[in-house]
Amino acid sequence: MGPRDRVCALAGVILLSPILLGITVAIRTTSRGPALFRQQRIGKNGKPFTMYKFRSMVVDAESLREQLLEQSDRDGLMFKMRADPRITPIGAWMRKHSVDELPQIFNVLMGSMSLVGPRPPLPEEVAEYGDDVRRRLLVRPGLTGLWQVSGRADLSWEESVRLDLRYVDNWTIATDLLILWKTIRAVIRGGGAY
């Protein structure tokens, strides 16, 4: 979608600014540390970028991750825990409704992400990719995508990859619009996210 993504992102920033500000204040007043979480992710053609999210975990969450790897609820390369002890109380609510992802609209505005696309992977995940999975990197990662509206964190690694590759291989504007519509429904229901 390219320039259309940026125009939509700019409109989103303007419309959502009171909500973004409110969430920022809520995070800062309920837990120690910054409201934003920055993380290195891999974008189109393997180019690294800084992805923004609202901080939903304790400040030292990244250093605690190593201790929790064996308790991951996911198979494959992605780490997820249904009852992750690092998540703050407001963070649990944000994750359920994907509110923590809202700052990625700034990534869309800067051109490192699209509104719709594959999940932006971590560098250590990409280092383990086989040639077939690398096709995920042919397009910009998305704020939302086919896997998010098809089960979110409840999907296996293989299912997530399959859906991302199906999106890459069969992209249309109509598909993007359908995914955006389904994203709104998935976020309101809050299922499959943790």
Side-chain angles (χ1 to χ4, degrees), residues 2-65:
R4 274 179 250 154
D5 277 323
R6 288 185 172 180
V7 170
C8 290
L10 180 59
V13 168
I14 293 166
L15 291 170
L16 294 172
S17 56
I19 295 169
L20 296 171
L21 182 60
I23 294 168
T24 299
V25 170
I27 294 168
R28 291 301 304 273
T29 56
T30 58
S31 66
R32 180 180 61 83
L36 279 183
F37 172 71
R38 295 165 178 82
Q39 189 176 50
Q40 188 86 354
R41 296 291 179 120
I42 303 299
K44 184 177 180 182
N45 298 322
K47 183 178 176 184
F49 70 98
T50 301
M51 187 183 77
Y52 302 100
K53 295 176 81 168
F54 278 126
R55 183 177 57 80
S56 62
M57 294 187 172
V58 295
V59 173
D60 56 350
E62 288 293 289
S63 61
L64 298 172
R65 182 176 182 264

Short mmCIF file of all heavy atoms in Angstrom, two decimals, residues 2-65:
data_model
loop_
_atom_site.label_atom_id
_atom_site.label_comp_id
_atom_site.label_asym_id
_atom_site.label_seq_id
_atom_site.Cartn_x
_atom_site.Cartn_y
_atom_site.Cartn_z
N GLY A 2 2.05 1.26 0.58
CA GLY A 2 2.99 2.36 0.48
C GLY A 2 2.50 3.70 0.99
O GLY A 2 2.23 3.86 2.18
N PRO A 3 2.39 4.70 0.08
CA PRO A 3 1.97 6.05 0.50
C PRO A 3 0.60 6.06 1.19
O PRO A 3 0.37 6.85 2.09
CB PRO A 3 1.92 6.84 -0.81
CG PRO A 3 2.81 6.09 -1.76
CD PRO A 3 2.72 4.65 -1.34
N ARG A 4 -0.30 5.17 0.77
CA ARG A 4 -1.62 5.09 1.42
C ARG A 4 -1.48 4.71 2.89
O ARG A 4 -2.21 5.19 3.74
CB ARG A 4 -2.52 4.08 0.71
CG ARG A 4 -3.27 4.68 -0.46
CD ARG A 4 -4.11 3.63 -1.12
NE ARG A 4 -3.47 3.38 -2.41
CZ ARG A 4 -3.55 2.26 -3.09
NH1 ARG A 4 -4.23 1.25 -2.62
NH2 ARG A 4 -2.97 2.13 -4.24
N ASP A 5 -0.53 3.82 3.17
CA ASP A 5 -0.26 3.43 4.56
C ASP A 5 0.12 4.65 5.39
O ASP A 5 -0.36 4.83 6.50
CB ASP A 5 0.90 2.42 4.62
CG ASP A 5 0.45 1.00 4.36
OD1 ASP A 5 -0.64 0.64 4.81
OD2 ASP A 5 1.20 0.26 3.73
N ARG A 6 1.00 5.47 4.83
CA ARG A 6 1.48 6.64 5.58
C ARG A 6 0.37 7.66 5.80
O ARG A 6 0.28 8.26 6.87
CB ARG A 6 2.66 7.27 4.85
CG ARG A 6 3.91 6.43 4.94
CD ARG A 6 5.09 7.11 4.32
NE ARG A 6 6.30 6.35 4.60
CZ ARG A 6 7.50 6.71 4.19
NH1 ARG A 6 7.67 7.82 3.51
NH2 ARG A 6 8.54 5.97 4.48
N VAL A 7 -0.46 7.86 4.80
CA VAL A 7 -1.58 8.79 4.96
C VAL A 7 -2.53 8.27 6.03
O VAL A 7 -2.97 9.03 6.91
CB VAL A 7 -2.33 9.00 3.61
CG1 VAL A 7 -3.62 9.75 3.81
CG2 VAL A 7 -1.43 9.73 2.62
N CYS A 8 -2.85 6.97 5.99
CA CYS A 8 -3.73 6.38 7.00
C CYS A 8 -3.09 6.45 8.39
O CYS A 8 -3.77 6.71 9.39
CB CYS A 8 -4.05 4.93 6.66
SG CYS A 8 -5.12 4.73 5.22
N ALA A 9 -1.77 6.24 8.46
CA ALA A 9 -1.06 6.30 9.74
C ALA A 9 -1.11 7.71 10.31
O ALA A 9 -1.33 7.89 11.51
CB ALA A 9 0.38 5.83 9.58
N LEU A 10 -0.92 8.71 9.46
CA LEU A 10 -0.97 10.10 9.92
C LEU A 10 -2.35 10.43 10.46
O LEU A 10 -2.49 11.02 11.53
CB LEU A 10 -0.59 11.06 8.78
CG LEU A 10 -0.61 12.54 9.14
CD1 LEU A 10 0.36 12.85 10.28
CD2 LEU A 10 -0.27 13.38 7.91
N ALA A 11 -3.39 10.00 9.73
CA ALA A 11 -4.76 10.20 10.20
C ALA A 11 -4.98 9.47 11.52
O ALA A 11 -5.61 10.00 12.44
CB ALA A 11 -5.76 9.72 9.15
N GLY A 12 -4.42 8.26 11.64
CA GLY A 12 -4.55 7.49 12.87
C GLY A 12 -3.89 8.16 14.05
O GLY A 12 -4.44 8.18 15.15
N VAL A 13 -2.69 8.73 13.83
CA VAL A 13 -1.99 9.44 14.90
C VAL A 13 -2.83 10.61 15.39
O VAL A 13 -2.97 10.84 16.60
CB VAL A 13 -0.60 9.91 14.43
CG1 VAL A 13 0.01 10.90 15.42
CG2 VAL A 13 0.33 8.72 14.24
N ILE A 14 -3.40 11.36 14.46
CA ILE A 14 -4.21 12.53 14.83
C ILE A 14 -5.45 12.09 15.60
O ILE A 14 -5.76 12.63 16.67
CB ILE A 14 -4.59 13.34 13.57
CG1 ILE A 14 -3.33 13.97 12.96
CG2 ILE A 14 -5.62 14.41 13.90
CD1 ILE A 14 -3.52 14.50 11.56
N LEU A 15 -6.15 11.08 15.09
CA LEU A 15 -7.38 10.61 15.73
C LEU A 15 -7.12 9.94 17.08
O LEU A 15 -7.90 10.08 18.02
CB LEU A 15 -8.14 9.65 14.82
CG LEU A 15 -8.78 10.25 13.57
CD1 LEU A 15 -9.28 9.15 12.65
CD2 LEU A 15 -9.92 11.18 13.95
N LEU A 16 -6.03 9.21 17.15
CA LEU A 16 -5.75 8.42 18.36
C LEU A 16 -4.92 9.16 19.40
O LEU A 16 -4.67 8.63 20.48
CB LEU A 16 -5.01 7.12 17.98
CG LEU A 16 -5.80 6.11 17.15
CD1 LEU A 16 -4.87 5.00 16.68
CD2 LEU A 16 -6.96 5.55 17.93
N SER A 17 -4.48 10.39 19.10
CA SER A 17 -3.58 11.09 20.02
C SER A 17 -4.11 11.19 21.45
O SER A 17 -3.34 10.99 22.40
CB SER A 17 -3.17 12.46 19.47
OG SER A 17 -4.29 13.25 19.20
N PRO A 18 -5.42 11.46 21.68
CA PRO A 18 -5.88 11.48 23.08
C PRO A 18 -5.75 10.12 23.76
O PRO A 18 -5.39 10.03 24.95
CB PRO A 18 -7.35 11.90 22.98
CG PRO A 18 -7.48 12.54 21.63
CD PRO A 18 -6.48 11.86 20.76
N ILE A 19 -6.02 9.04 23.02
CA ILE A 19 -5.90 7.68 23.57
C ILE A 19 -4.43 7.36 23.85
O ILE A 19 -4.09 6.81 24.90
CB ILE A 19 -6.53 6.65 22.62
CG1 ILE A 19 -8.04 6.90 22.51
CG2 ILE A 19 -6.24 5.22 23.06
CD1 ILE A 19 -8.73 6.14 21.42
N LEU A 20 -3.55 7.71 22.89
CA LEU A 20 -2.12 7.46 23.08
C LEU A 20 -1.59 8.18 24.31
O LEU A 20 -0.83 7.62 25.10
CB LEU A 20 -1.34 7.89 21.83
CG LEU A 20 -1.64 7.13 20.53
CD1 LEU A 20 -0.96 7.80 19.34
CD2 LEU A 20 -1.22 5.68 20.62
N LEU A 21 -2.02 9.41 24.48
CA LEU A 21 -1.60 10.20 25.65
C LEU A 21 -2.14 9.58 26.94
O LEU A 21 -1.42 9.45 27.93
CB LEU A 21 -2.08 11.64 25.50
CG LEU A 21 -1.67 12.60 26.62
CD1 LEU A 21 -0.16 12.69 26.75
CD2 LEU A 21 -2.26 13.98 26.39
N GLY A 22 -3.41 9.18 26.93
CA GLY A 22 -4.03 8.56 28.11
C GLY A 22 -3.33 7.28 28.53
O GLY A 22 -3.08 7.04 29.72
N ILE A 23 -2.98 6.44 27.54
CA ILE A 23 -2.29 5.18 27.84
C ILE A 23 -0.89 5.47 28.38
O ILE A 23 -0.43 4.81 29.32
CB ILE A 23 -2.25 4.28 26.60
CG1 ILE A 23 -3.67 3.83 26.24
CG2 ILE A 23 -1.35 3.08 26.82
CD1 ILE A 23 -3.80 3.19 24.89
N THR A 24 -0.23 6.47 27.81
CA THR A 24 1.10 6.86 28.29
C THR A 24 1.05 7.23 29.77
O THR A 24 1.86 6.77 30.57
CB THR A 24 1.65 8.04 27.45
OG1 THR A 24 1.77 7.62 26.09
CG2 THR A 24 2.99 8.51 27.96
N VAL A 25 0.08 8.05 30.12
CA VAL A 25 -0.07 8.48 31.52
C VAL A 25 -0.38 7.27 32.41
O VAL A 25 0.18 7.12 33.50
CB VAL A 25 -1.17 9.56 31.64
CG1 VAL A 25 -1.51 9.83 33.09
CG2 VAL A 25 -0.74 10.84 30.93
N ALA A 26 -1.27 6.39 31.95
CA ALA A 26 -1.64 5.20 32.74
C ALA A 26 -0.44 4.31 33.01
O ALA A 26 -0.25 3.80 34.12
CB ALA A 26 -2.74 4.42 32.03
N ILE A 27 0.41 4.10 32.00
CA ILE A 27 1.59 3.25 32.18
C ILE A 27 2.56 3.89 33.17
O ILE A 27 3.06 3.24 34.09
CB ILE A 27 2.30 3.01 30.83
CG1 ILE A 27 1.40 2.17 29.91
CG2 ILE A 27 3.64 2.30 31.03
CD1 ILE A 27 1.86 2.12 28.47
N ARG A 28 2.81 5.18 32.98
CA ARG A 28 3.79 5.89 33.83
C ARG A 28 3.34 5.97 35.29
O ARG A 28 4.17 5.97 36.19
CB ARG A 28 4.04 7.30 33.29
CG ARG A 28 4.78 7.37 31.96
CD ARG A 28 6.14 6.72 31.98
NE ARG A 28 7.02 7.25 33.01
CZ ARG A 28 7.81 8.31 32.87
NH1 ARG A 28 7.85 8.94 31.72
NH2 ARG A 28 8.57 8.71 33.86
N THR A 29 2.03 6.03 35.53
CA THR A 29 1.56 6.16 36.91
C THR A 29 1.34 4.81 37.60
O THR A 29 1.15 4.78 38.81
CB THR A 29 0.24 6.97 36.97
OG1 THR A 29 -0.73 6.36 36.13
CG2 THR A 29 0.48 8.41 36.54
N THR A 30 1.36 3.71 36.84
CA THR A 30 1.12 2.40 37.46
C THR A 30 2.35 1.51 37.53
O THR A 30 2.31 0.45 38.17
CB THR A 30 0.00 1.64 36.72
OG1 THR A 30 0.38 1.48 35.34
CG2 THR A 30 -1.32 2.37 36.82
N SER A 31 3.45 1.89 36.87
CA SER A 31 4.67 1.09 36.97
C SER A 31 5.89 1.96 36.70
O SER A 31 5.80 2.98 36.01
CB SER A 31 4.64 -0.10 35.99
OG SER A 31 4.66 0.34 34.65
N ARG A 32 7.00 1.53 37.22
CA ARG A 32 8.25 2.26 37.07
C ARG A 32 8.78 2.10 35.65
O ARG A 32 8.74 1.02 35.07
CB ARG A 32 9.26 1.69 38.07
CG ARG A 32 10.62 2.32 38.06
CD ARG A 32 11.54 1.66 39.08
NE ARG A 32 11.77 0.24 38.84
CZ ARG A 32 12.68 -0.23 38.00
NH1 ARG A 32 13.42 0.58 37.29
NH2 ARG A 32 12.83 -1.54 37.87
N GLY A 33 9.28 3.18 35.06
CA GLY A 33 9.94 3.10 33.76
C GLY A 33 9.21 3.86 32.67
O GLY A 33 8.16 4.47 32.90
N PRO A 34 9.77 3.85 31.47
CA PRO A 34 9.20 4.60 30.35
C PRO A 34 7.90 3.98 29.85
O PRO A 34 7.63 2.80 30.08
CB PRO A 34 10.28 4.53 29.27
CG PRO A 34 11.01 3.26 29.58
CD PRO A 34 10.98 3.11 31.07
N ALA A 35 7.09 4.77 29.16
CA ALA A 35 5.83 4.27 28.60
C ALA A 35 6.07 3.49 27.31
O ALA A 35 5.34 2.56 27.00
CB ALA A 35 4.87 5.42 28.34
N LEU A 36 7.12 3.86 26.57
CA LEU A 36 7.41 3.19 25.31
C LEU A 36 8.48 2.13 25.47
O LEU A 36 9.43 2.30 26.25
CB LEU A 36 7.86 4.19 24.25
CG LEU A 36 6.80 4.99 23.53
CD1 LEU A 36 7.44 5.87 22.46
CD2 LEU A 36 5.72 4.12 22.91
N PHE A 37 8.33 1.05 24.72
CA PHE A 37 9.31 -0.03 24.66
C PHE A 37 9.84 -0.05 23.23
O PHE A 37 9.06 -0.05 22.28
CB PHE A 37 8.63 -1.36 25.02
CG PHE A 37 9.49 -2.56 24.81
CD1 PHE A 37 10.57 -2.81 25.66
CD2 PHE A 37 9.24 -3.45 23.79
CE1 PHE A 37 11.38 -3.92 25.49
CE2 PHE A 37 10.04 -4.58 23.61
CZ PHE A 37 11.11 -4.81 24.46
N ARG A 38 11.16 -0.02 23.09
CA ARG A 38 11.79 -0.05 21.78
C ARG A 38 12.50 -1.39 21.63
O ARG A 38 13.17 -1.84 22.56
CB ARG A 38 12.80 1.08 21.63
CG ARG A 38 12.19 2.45 21.67
CD ARG A 38 13.27 3.52 21.89
NE ARG A 38 12.72 4.86 21.87
CZ ARG A 38 12.15 5.45 22.91
NH1 ARG A 38 12.03 4.79 24.05
NH2 ARG A 38 11.67 6.66 22.82
N GLN A 39 12.36 -1.99 20.45
CA GLN A 39 12.99 -3.30 20.24
C GLN A 39 13.46 -3.41 18.79
O GLN A 39 12.76 -2.96 17.87
CB GLN A 39 11.98 -4.41 20.55
CG GLN A 39 12.59 -5.79 20.58
CD GLN A 39 11.57 -6.83 20.99
OE1 GLN A 39 10.47 -6.88 20.45
NE2 GLN A 39 11.93 -7.68 21.95
N GLN A 40 14.61 -4.00 18.61
CA GLN A 40 15.14 -4.22 17.26
C GLN A 40 14.35 -5.34 16.59
O GLN A 40 14.18 -6.42 17.16
CB GLN A 40 16.62 -4.61 17.35
CG GLN A 40 17.32 -4.67 16.02
CD GLN A 40 17.85 -3.31 15.58
OE1 GLN A 40 17.59 -2.31 16.21
NE2 GLN A 40 18.58 -3.28 14.50
N ARG A 41 13.83 -5.08 15.41
CA ARG A 41 13.13 -6.07 14.60
C ARG A 41 13.72 -6.06 13.20
O ARG A 41 14.48 -5.17 12.84
CB ARG A 41 11.63 -5.77 14.54
CG ARG A 41 10.90 -5.86 15.87
CD ARG A 41 10.81 -7.28 16.39
NE ARG A 41 10.13 -7.35 17.66
CZ ARG A 41 9.01 -8.05 17.87
NH1 ARG A 41 8.45 -8.73 16.89
NH2 ARG A 41 8.46 -8.07 19.08
N ILE A 42 13.35 -7.06 12.41
CA ILE A 42 13.85 -7.16 11.04
C ILE A 42 12.70 -6.86 10.08
O ILE A 42 11.62 -7.43 10.18
CB ILE A 42 14.44 -8.56 10.77
CG1 ILE A 42 15.55 -8.87 11.77
CG2 ILE A 42 14.96 -8.64 9.33
CD1 ILE A 42 16.74 -7.93 11.76
N GLY A 43 12.97 -5.96 9.13
CA GLY A 43 11.96 -5.52 8.19
C GLY A 43 12.17 -6.07 6.79
O GLY A 43 12.83 -7.10 6.59
N LYS A 44 11.64 -5.36 5.83
CA LYS A 44 11.69 -5.76 4.42
C LYS A 44 13.15 -5.95 3.98
O LYS A 44 14.01 -5.15 4.31
CB LYS A 44 11.00 -4.71 3.57
CG LYS A 44 10.91 -5.08 2.10
CD LYS A 44 10.16 -4.04 1.32
CE LYS A 44 10.07 -4.44 -0.15
NZ LYS A 44 9.38 -3.42 -0.95
N ASN A 45 13.37 -7.04 3.25
CA ASN A 45 14.69 -7.39 2.72
C ASN A 45 15.75 -7.54 3.82
O ASN A 45 16.94 -7.35 3.58
CB ASN A 45 15.15 -6.35 1.69
CG ASN A 45 14.22 -6.30 0.48
OD1 ASN A 45 13.72 -7.34 0.03
ND2 ASN A 45 13.96 -5.12 -0.02
N GLY A 46 15.32 -7.88 5.03
CA GLY A 46 16.26 -8.13 6.11
C GLY A 46 16.83 -6.90 6.77
O GLY A 46 17.78 -7.00 7.56
N LYS A 47 16.25 -5.74 6.49
CA LYS A 47 16.78 -4.49 7.07
C LYS A 47 16.28 -4.33 8.50
O LYS A 47 15.09 -4.35 8.77
CB LYS A 47 16.32 -3.31 6.21
CG LYS A 47 16.86 -1.98 6.68
CD LYS A 47 16.40 -0.86 5.77
CE LYS A 47 16.88 0.47 6.32
NZ LYS A 47 16.39 1.60 5.53
N PRO A 48 17.20 -4.12 9.47
CA PRO A 48 16.77 -3.93 10.86
C PRO A 48 16.14 -2.56 11.08
O PRO A 48 16.49 -1.59 10.40
CB PRO A 48 18.06 -4.07 11.67
CG PRO A 48 19.19 -4.00 10.70
CD PRO A 48 18.65 -4.16 9.32
N PHE A 49 15.21 -2.49 12.02
CA PHE A 49 14.60 -1.21 12.39
C PHE A 49 14.18 -1.28 13.85
O PHE A 49 14.11 -2.36 14.44
CB PHE A 49 13.40 -0.87 11.48
CG PHE A 49 12.19 -1.75 11.70
CD1 PHE A 49 11.13 -1.32 12.51
CD2 PHE A 49 12.08 -3.00 11.10
CE1 PHE A 49 10.02 -2.11 12.71
CE2 PHE A 49 10.97 -3.80 11.29
CZ PHE A 49 9.93 -3.35 12.09
N THR A 50 13.92 -0.13 14.43
CA THR A 50 13.45 -0.06 15.82
C THR A 50 11.93 -0.02 15.82
O THR A 50 11.34 0.88 15.23
CB THR A 50 14.01 1.19 16.52
OG1 THR A 50 15.44 1.14 16.49
CG2 THR A 50 13.54 1.27 17.96
N MET A 51 11.33 -1.00 16.46
CA MET A 51 9.87 -1.07 16.56
C MET A 51 9.43 -0.51 17.91
O MET A 51 10.08 -0.74 18.92
CB MET A 51 9.39 -2.51 16.41
CG MET A 51 7.87 -2.63 16.33
SD MET A 51 7.34 -4.36 16.27
CE MET A 51 7.52 -4.83 17.98
N TYR A 52 8.34 0.23 17.88
CA TYR A 52 7.80 0.85 19.10
C TYR A 52 6.54 0.14 19.56
O TYR A 52 5.69 -0.23 18.76
CB TYR A 52 7.49 2.33 18.84
CG TYR A 52 8.67 3.11 18.38
CD1 TYR A 52 8.85 3.41 17.04
CD2 TYR A 52 9.64 3.54 19.29
CE1 TYR A 52 9.96 4.12 16.61
CE2 TYR A 52 10.75 4.25 18.87
CZ TYR A 52 10.91 4.53 17.52
OH TYR A 52 12.00 5.22 17.10
N LYS A 53 6.44 -0.02 20.87
CA LYS A 53 5.24 -0.57 21.50
C LYS A 53 5.05 0.17 22.83
O LYS A 53 6.00 0.74 23.37
CB LYS A 53 5.40 -2.07 21.81
CG LYS A 53 5.55 -2.96 20.62
CD LYS A 53 5.79 -4.39 21.02
CE LYS A 53 4.51 -5.09 21.37
NZ LYS A 53 4.63 -6.54 21.50
N PHE A 54 3.83 0.12 23.36
CA PHE A 54 3.66 0.56 24.74
C PHE A 54 4.26 -0.52 25.63
O PHE A 54 4.10 -1.72 25.37
CB PHE A 54 2.18 0.76 25.08
CG PHE A 54 1.63 2.08 24.63
CD1 PHE A 54 0.49 2.13 23.84
CD2 PHE A 54 2.23 3.27 25.00
CE1 PHE A 54 -0.03 3.34 23.43
CE2 PHE A 54 1.72 4.49 24.60
CZ PHE A 54 0.58 4.52 23.80
N ARG A 55 4.96 -0.11 26.67
CA ARG A 55 5.58 -1.08 27.58
C ARG A 55 4.50 -1.78 28.38
O ARG A 55 3.77 -1.17 29.15
CB ARG A 55 6.58 -0.37 28.51
CG ARG A 55 7.32 -1.33 29.43
CD ARG A 55 8.35 -0.61 30.27
NE ARG A 55 7.77 0.46 31.06
CZ ARG A 55 7.12 0.30 32.20
NH1 ARG A 55 6.95 -0.91 32.70
NH2 ARG A 55 6.64 1.34 32.86
N SER A 56 4.42 -3.10 28.22
CA SER A 56 3.42 -3.90 28.93
C SER A 56 4.07 -4.80 29.98
O SER A 56 3.38 -5.55 30.66
CB SER A 56 2.62 -4.75 27.94
OG SER A 56 3.48 -5.65 27.25
N MET A 57 5.39 -4.73 30.09
CA MET A 57 6.12 -5.57 31.03
C MET A 57 6.95 -4.71 31.98
O MET A 57 7.09 -3.51 31.77
CB MET A 57 7.05 -6.52 30.28
CG MET A 57 6.35 -7.55 29.43
SD MET A 57 7.57 -8.71 28.77
CE MET A 57 6.47 -9.92 28.05
N VAL A 58 7.52 -5.37 32.97
CA VAL A 58 8.44 -4.68 33.88
C VAL A 58 9.66 -4.21 33.10
O VAL A 58 9.95 -4.72 32.01
CB VAL A 58 8.86 -5.60 35.05
CG1 VAL A 58 7.66 -5.94 35.93
CG2 VAL A 58 9.54 -6.87 34.54
N VAL A 59 10.38 -3.23 33.64
CA VAL A 59 11.48 -2.60 32.93
C VAL A 59 12.57 -3.58 32.50
O VAL A 59 13.08 -3.50 31.39
CB VAL A 59 12.09 -1.46 33.78
CG1 VAL A 59 13.33 -0.89 33.14
CG2 VAL A 59 11.06 -0.36 33.98
N ASP A 60 12.95 -4.54 33.34
CA ASP A 60 14.03 -5.47 33.01
C ASP A 60 13.54 -6.77 32.37
O ASP A 60 14.19 -7.81 32.47
CB ASP A 60 14.87 -5.75 34.26
CG ASP A 60 14.02 -6.29 35.41
OD1 ASP A 60 12.79 -6.26 35.32
OD2 ASP A 60 14.61 -6.74 36.41
N ALA A 61 12.42 -6.72 31.69
CA ALA A 61 11.80 -7.91 31.11
C ALA A 61 12.72 -8.66 30.14
O ALA A 61 12.74 -9.89 30.12
CB ALA A 61 10.49 -7.55 30.42
N GLU A 62 13.47 -7.93 29.33
CA GLU A 62 14.34 -8.58 28.34
C GLU A 62 15.41 -9.44 29.02
O GLU A 62 15.70 -10.54 28.56
CB GLU A 62 14.99 -7.53 27.44
CG GLU A 62 14.03 -6.89 26.45
CD GLU A 62 13.51 -7.86 25.41
OE1 GLU A 62 14.28 -8.27 24.52
OE2 GLU A 62 12.32 -8.21 25.48
N SER A 63 15.98 -8.95 30.11
CA SER A 63 17.02 -9.72 30.81
C SER A 63 16.43 -10.94 31.51
O SER A 63 17.11 -11.94 31.72
CB SER A 63 17.77 -8.84 31.80
OG SER A 63 16.89 -8.33 32.78
N LEU A 64 15.14 -10.88 31.87
CA LEU A 64 14.48 -12.01 32.54
C LEU A 64 14.01 -13.08 31.55
O LEU A 64 13.72 -14.21 31.95
CB LEU A 64 13.27 -11.51 33.34
CG LEU A 64 13.57 -10.54 34.48
CD1 LEU A 64 12.28 -9.98 35.06
CD2 LEU A 64 14.38 -11.26 35.56
N ARG A 65 13.97 -12.75 30.27
CA ARG A 65 13.45 -13.66 29.25
C ARG A 65 14.24 -14.97 29.20
O ARG A 65 13.66 -16.06 29.08
CB ARG A 65 13.50 -12.97 27.88
CG ARG A 65 12.95 -13.79 26.74
CD ARG A 65 12.96 -12.94 25.46
NE ARG A 65 12.40 -13.66 24.35
CZ ARG A 65 13.11 -14.32 23.46
NH1 ARG A 65 14.43 -14.35 23.55
NH2 ARG A 65 12.52 -14.95 22.46
#
